[in-house]
């Protein structure tokens, strides 16, 4: 299959077990049409979803000092169908798929659900063939490029502020909770960020950590960052 070699070149990984890649590229509609028993990519998609989740979760955990809720939202935006379809488009994955005639005729190669599922199956195939680090090397360039394209919503303001302040070792940064109100299911927090004894930012949010992030953002704005 010359197509296999072209795809391997695109993704920067050569499979030892070529069948894994072929299965990852095979949609159930193709398997249902051929007479012989043919494996298709739904099982690989299941595994790929889990592998993708751990790779992205691990990366975000170490990269961004954000509260759990914000990390969850960020991960969800990176592993959703729309994003995975964009990743698939970047390597032209749709053109390599094995589809049934019906799917072929109705635009299956460009259907987001099919392409995003195949991308997850491809991740699983790489994982099974080469291990988690090979899968990580494949996935992370897509993730980091997406984060850079949409950098503003994902900025970790507390870390950015800390890095700036650390340039002057004598300066001390602290966060002070000045108000907490509302019932347990709808809390409201107000936090000040102090540079030594001076208030340089105030933030609000439904969690203390979110309020701290907002306070740091205001402080960075004050500094022109």
């Amino acid at each position: 299959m010359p197509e296999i070699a072209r795809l391997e070149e695109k993704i920067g990984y050569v499979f030892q077990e070529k069948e894994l890649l072929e299965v990852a590229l095979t949609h159930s509609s193709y398997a249902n049409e051929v007479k012989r028993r043919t494996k298709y990519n739904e099982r690989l998609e299941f595994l790929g979803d889990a592998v993708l989740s751990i790779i992205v979760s691990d990366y975000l955990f170490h990269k961004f000092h954000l509260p759990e809720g914000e990390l969850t939202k960020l991960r969800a935006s990176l592993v959703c169908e729309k994003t995975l379809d964009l990743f698939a488009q970047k390597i032209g994955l749709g053109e390599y798929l094995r589809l049934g005639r019906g799917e072929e005729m109705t635009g299956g190669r460009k259907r987001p659900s099919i392409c995003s599922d195949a991308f997850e199956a491809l991740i699983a195939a790489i994982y099974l063939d080469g291990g988690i680090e090979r899968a990580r090397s494949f996935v992370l360039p897509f993730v980091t490029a997406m984060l850079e394209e949409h950098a503003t919503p994902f900025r970790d303001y507390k870390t950015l502020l800390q890095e700036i302040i650390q340039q002057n070792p004598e300066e001390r940064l602290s966060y002070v909770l000045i108000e907490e109100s509302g019932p347990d299911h709808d809390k409201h927090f107000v936090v000040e960020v102090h540079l030594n004894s001076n208030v340089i930012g105030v933030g609000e949010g439904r969690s203390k950590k979110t309020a701290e992030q907002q306070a740091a953002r205001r402080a960075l704005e004050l500094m022109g960052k």
Side-chain angles (χ1 to χ4, degrees):
M1 261 182 102
E3 296 85 0
I4 291 286
R6 287 204 302 272
L7 182 57
E8 286 177 326
E9 186 176 352
K10 278 188 177 182
I11 66 177
Y13 180 76
V14 176
F15 280 79
Q16 299 174 63
E17 192 175 337
K18 303 297 184 186
E19 185 187 1
L20 280 169
L21 180 53
E22 291 181 10
V23 174
L25 298 174
T26 302
H27 188 253
S28 58
S29 62
Y30 177 90
N32 292 335
E33 285 186 9
V34 297
K35 292 181 180 179
R36 65 185 184 282
R37 187 178 177 86
T38 301
K39 294 179 181 178
Y40 53 94
N41 63 14
E42 286 182 5
R43 278 172 51 83
L44 284 178
E45 174 206 336
F46 164 79
L47 178 60
D49 178 71
V51 174
L52 174 65
S53 184
I54 189 62
I55 290 171
V56 172
S57 298
D58 180 72
Y59 177 78
L60 296 179
F61 179 84
H62 289 97
K63 179 70 174 177
F64 300 102
H65 297 283
L66 295 170
E68 183 268 344
E70 293 184 41
L71 286 172
T72 299
K73 288 179 187 176
L74 184 48
R75 180 182 61 195
S77 73
L78 291 166
V79 301
C80 68
E81 179 182 296
K82 181 179 178 181
T83 301
L84 296 181
D85 180 45
L86 289 174
F87 294 168
Q89 288 179 36
K90 287 186 176 181
I91 56 173
L93 189 59
E95 65 185 84
Y96 298 97
L97 299 180
R98 296 201 292 182
L99 302 174
R101 288 186 297 273
E103 286 293 352
E104 185 79 65
M105 292 173 63
T106 56
R109 292 189 185 279
K110 294 184 178 180
R111 186 166 295 134
S113 59
I114 290 178
C115 292
S116 61
D117 287 351
F119 190 83
E120 287 182 326
L122 178 58
I123 292 170
I126 294 172
Y127 166 73
L128 291 172
D129 194 67
I132 189 68
E133 292 307 320
R134 291 285 191 170
R136 194 190 313 274
S137 297
F138 170 65
V139 168
L140 285 185
F142 293 98
V143 171
T144 54
M146 180 63 72
L147 288 170
E148 286 170 8
E149 281 180 39
H150 304 278
T152 303
F154 308 141
R155 295 183 77 187
D156 182 352
Y157 299 109
K158 284 184 68 177
T159 298
L160 290 171
L161 182 59
Q162 186 67 38
E163 289 172 351
I164 291 170
I165 300 304
Q166 282 177 343
Q167 294 173 13
N168 298 299
E170 69 278 3
E171 305 283 8
R172 291 182 61 82
L173 197 64
S174 60
Y175 292 85
V176 179
L177 177 65
I178 61 171
E179 185 182 325
E180 179 179 344
S181 59
D184 288 343
H185 69 278
D186 191 22
K187 285 283 191 183
H188 182 78
F189 297 86
V190 181
V191 169
E192 292 178 343
V193 57
H194 291 198
L195 181 59
N196 301 321
S197 59
N198 300 314
V199 177
I200 59 171
V202 180
E204 302 180 33
R206 296 183 65 179
S207 72
K208 185 179 175 183
K209 289 181 178 180
T210 299
E212 289 175 351
Q213 283 285 341
Q214 293 305 313
R217 181 175 67 84
R218 297 282 168 76
L220 289 164
E221 288 173 355
L222 186 67
M223 296 174 180
K225 301 297 184 181

